Amino acid sequence: MTLALSKGRIFEETMPLLAEAGIEVPENPESSRKLILPTSDPGLRLIIVRASDVPTYVQYGAADLGIAGKDVLIEHAKEHPGGLYQPIDLNIAKCRLAVAVRNGFDYDAAVHQGARLRVATKYVHSAREHFASKGVYVDIIKLYGSMELAPLIGLADCIVDLVSTGGTLRANDLVAVEDVMPISSRLIVNQAALKTRGDRLQPLLDAFARAASRNV
Ligand code: PRT
Ligand code: MG
């Protein structure tokens, strides 16, 4: 079995869950730079991929399982529907998706019904849906990083980005004005693999579910 996940916070927060399932990972991807990591379970290996690539590996069956943030899963599902089963909220890598503006920008005045707003974000589908539900027209400007810059130099009125401590917003004179949704990471499973190799996958899914329920 192959489990796809990203290094950084998701890897760090997944290790205790695997440990509770009795699975150790002897190498750290940050220091070893390896992209395929064996585990103490001879039937399970990890592959280290970019966070936004995890659903792709699982959807195509190159990995049986994956761990990805709800933010990533929503954007992926809108563009590549189907093929993924999302059984378990692991309650790790928690943060929130929020709207943020420059300090002093009058957001309440800007979002009245029928208004038009320029929104810079990596999360175009979640952002579009959020503003549509408020009846606010938006021009979405897709960015791949450093969204915080956009309102500061006049590229956009606001951003939709992940916030955890709020330190990044504060450092850039921005302020969160509205929550879009809470975010955590989910275990995803390739549907075909679950059908053909459910006997091997199910014990691992059960172990993740047990470990995650202690994590709430
Ligand atoms: O970093 P890289 O470009 O390689 O990829 P990535 O950003 O997609 O991966 P990674 O590992 O940074 O994030 C993986 C997942 O962790 C995301 O998909 C989220 O589900 C989750 N997560 C949890 C976060 C955060 N918290 C978070 N704070 N992802 C990103 N951030 C960033 C946020 O975008 C902002 O730039 O951290 C900054 C804000 O943090 P605070 O603490 O200053 O508010
Ligand atoms: Mg990041």
Side-chain angles (χ1 to χ4, degrees), residues 163-174:
V163 181
S164 98
T165 62
T168 306
L169 293 182
R170 269 194 302 280
N172 291 289
D173 202 28
L174 300 174

Side-chain angles (χ1 to χ4, degrees), residues 105-120:
F105 180 85
D106 191 346
Y107 181 69
D108 289 336
V111 296
H112 61 267
Q113 188 94 15
R116 186 157 210 115
L117 214 59
R118 285 211 298 180
V119 182

Side-chain angles (χ1 to χ4, degrees), residues 156-169:
D157 302 307
C158 63
I159 61 173
V160 171
D161 195 8
L162 301 173
V163 181
S164 98
T165 62
T168 306
L169 293 182

